[in-house]
Amino acid sequence: LRHLLVVSEVALALVLLIGAGLLIKSFSRLMEVNPGFRTAGVLTFQVTLTGGESSPQTVNFVEQMVERLKALPSVQTAGATDSLPLTHFSRITVAEIEGRPPIDFSKVKPGEVTPVSRPTVTRDYFHAMGISVKKGRAFTSQDARPPAGSVIVNEAFEKHHFPGQSAVGKRIRLMAGAEARWQTVVGVVSDVRQSGLAGDVMPE
C-alpha cells in the first residue's frame, strides 16, 4: 500500500509539472504575439453615454472630450473608439462588395459568410494606438461626419475580400441591407488583435 501511495504521488506530481510546463509555454507564446497596437505609454478608460452613438450630442461630446485630452500636458495625441482591443466587445456584421452578387440571407448556409468586426473610431485613433496605416490614408476631419462615407479596413479584410489587390478605392456596404449605403475604402491598417491574442484576426 505504501509503494502504491508513493507511485500515485509521483504520478500526480508529474502531471502537475507537465501541466505547469505547458501553461508557462502557452503564456510565453502569448507574450510573443504582436497585438497590433502600442502597449506602452497608452492610457485607456471607458465612458458610458446615453443616447445613440451617432446622435449629434454624442458626436459633439466625444469630439470635445478628445480635443480637451489632447490639450493636457504630456499628452501626444488622443482618440476614441467603441470597441477597445482585447475587451471582447465588438460589433459584428457582414460586408457586401460593390460589383459582386448581393448576399441572399435566405439561402446562405452557416459558415458561408465571413463575419466582419465594425468598430467606430475617431480620426486620430490609429495614431494614438500606434496602429500603422499600410495603404491609402488615415481619417481626416472631413471624414468625421456621416455624409463622407469613408471607411478603413484592416489587412485581414483586404486579404479575404480583395486577394492580390488593394482595397483602397473599392466600395463596400455593411449590414448587407437595402438601407445601408455604399462607403469607399480610403485606407488599410495593420491587423489588431481585437478579441484576444489567440486565434486568427477577424476582418475589420
Side-chain angles (χ1 to χ4, degrees), residues 141-203:
S141 57
Q142 285 74 30
D143 298 313
R145 297 298 175 174
S150 301
V151 294
I152 291 176
V153 301
N154 66 352
E155 291 179 298
F157 185 100
E158 183 182 57
K159 289 175 184 176
H160 179 78
H161 290 286
F162 305 101
Q165 55 182 311
S166 174
V168 177
K170 303 293 193 301
R171 295 216 307 165
I172 67 173
R173 182 164 64 180
L174 299 177
M175 296 186 293
E179 74 284 356
R181 57 196 175 88
W182 293 104
Q183 297 174 300
T184 303
V185 177
V186 297
V188 179
V189 295
S190 57
D191 289 336
V192 173
R193 298 280 175 173
Q194 193 73 26
S195 301
L197 296 177
D200 297 328
V201 176
M202 179 180 290

Side-chain angles (χ1 to χ4, degrees), residues 1-101:
L1 183 62
R2 187 182 300 114
H3 289 305
L4 286 174
L5 288 174
V6 170
V7 170
S8 300
E9 289 174 358
V10 172
L12 288 173
L14 284 174
V15 170
L16 289 175
L17 283 173
I18 293 171
L22 292 174
L23 185 63
I24 292 172
K25 188 176 182 180
S26 299
F27 179 75
S28 64
R29 283 183 177 176
L30 286 177
M31 292 299 291
E32 293 173 358
V33 174
N34 179 14
F37 58 90
R38 185 190 303 119
T39 57
V42 178
L43 173 67
T44 65
F45 61 92
Q46 183 175 351
V47 177
T48 302
L49 302 175
T50 57
E53 67 174 29
S54 58
S55 67
Q57 294 84 358
T58 300
V59 172
N60 290 332
F61 175 83
V62 172
E63 288 179 345
Q64 292 176 18
M65 179 183 65
V66 169
E67 291 305 316
R68 291 177 66 181
L69 288 170
K70 289 180 182 178
L72 293 175
S74 76
V75 173
Q76 296 179 2
T77 189
T81 180
D82 62 357
S83 303
L84 198 65
L86 304 183
T87 56
H88 298 283
F89 174 80
S90 60
R91 301 178 188 277
I92 306 298
T93 184
V94 294
E96 286 187 337
I97 311 300
E98 188 178 41
R100 298 179 188 176

Side-chain angles (χ1 to χ4, degrees), residues 117-134:
S117 175
R118 187 201 60 79
T120 301
V121 302
T122 58
R123 68 177 184 270
D124 290 328
Y125 171 76
F126 299 119
H127 183 206
M129 293 291 287
I131 301 170
S132 58
V133 178
K134 297 294 187 178

